[in-house]
Amino acid sequence: VAVDALRALGCEVVMLTGDNAATAAFIAKEVGITSVEAGLMPNDKIARVRALVAQRGAIAMVGDGVNDAPALAAATVGIAMGHGGTDVALEAADVALMSDDLTRLPFAIELGRATRTMILQNVIFSMSVVIALIPLTLLGLVPLSLAVICHEGSTVIVALHGLRLLSRRDRFRASAA
């Protein structure tokens, strides 16, 4: 389920594991992963993650063990499994999933993308208000008190706009139930 949801978001899923090839192939087939590299030592994982970053740009790496920690640090975004993960993996990662439920990963990616978009919208809106208010106030077209009220009002609008992200969490909970 998680692999299909990640693909629907445009993510390519690659399995890098230290497990033997037969075990890795079996698990990959069960979850729908077509690209598998098995029998990797920690240094091999780092090299492969760096190669993927060079080929594709930004990549995320999910891991939970001591052997994953260096590769988590080498990835653009390292994601550690919080509940069953080792302290080293949690320390090396940028994000820690507090449960070991990978079906939540697509939601985290979607929420991150929505957050980035919302931040950009909020910055553009707030800067536009300031850029408009400065010359209007300096030219005397808008009284200073009204400019302050407009500026503070835009701050409230930005905060309310940001709260819209909470509805994504509620929609996710409803769809997961």
Side-chain angles (χ1 to χ4, degrees):
V1 174
V3 173
D4 293 334
L6 288 169
R7 282 200 187 100
L9 290 172
C11 300
E12 181 181 343
V13 181
V14 177
M15 178 187 240
L16 305 176
T17 181
D19 294 335
N20 69 53
T23 302
F26 176 79
I27 292 170
K29 184 177 179 183
E30 287 291 311
V31 297
I33 297 174
T34 57
S35 181
V36 180
E37 295 184 39
L40 300 175
M41 299 301 289
N43 286 339
D44 299 328
K45 287 183 186 180
I46 295 170
R48 191 62 188 117
V49 165
R50 288 183 178 152
L52 288 168
V53 169
Q55 286 174 344
R56 296 187 172 94
I59 69 149
M61 160 87 183
V62 179
D64 65 351
V66 173
N67 292 337
D68 295 325
L72 289 169
T76 310
V77 177
I79 303 170
M81 303 302 287
H83 188 261
T86 63
D87 290 342
V88 175
L90 290 168
E91 186 66 31
D94 301 299
V95 176
L97 297 178
M98 297 316 293
S99 71
D100 290 344
D101 183 4
L102 285 178
T103 61
R104 298 182 65 95
L105 189 56
F107 168 70
I109 292 169
E110 187 179 282
L111 182 62
R113 289 175 178 173
T115 302
R116 183 181 57 215
T117 299
M118 189 166 288
I119 289 170
L120 182 62
Q121 291 169 348
N122 284 342
V123 168
I124 290 170
F125 173 73
S126 62
M127 292 302 294
S128 298
V129 169
V130 170
I131 289 170
L133 286 174
I134 289 173
L136 291 173
T137 305
L138 290 175
L139 293 172
L141 300 172
V142 174
L144 183 59
S145 58
L146 182 58
V148 170
I149 291 169
C150 289
H151 179 264
E152 294 307 315
S154 71
T155 303
V156 171
I157 290 170
V158 164
L160 292 173
H161 186 244
L163 288 174
R164 291 179 46 232
L165 288 172
L166 292 175
S167 69
R168 290 183 177 275
R169 179 191 64 197
D170 296 336
R171 282 192 311 241
F172 175 75
R173 285 184 178 160
S175 68

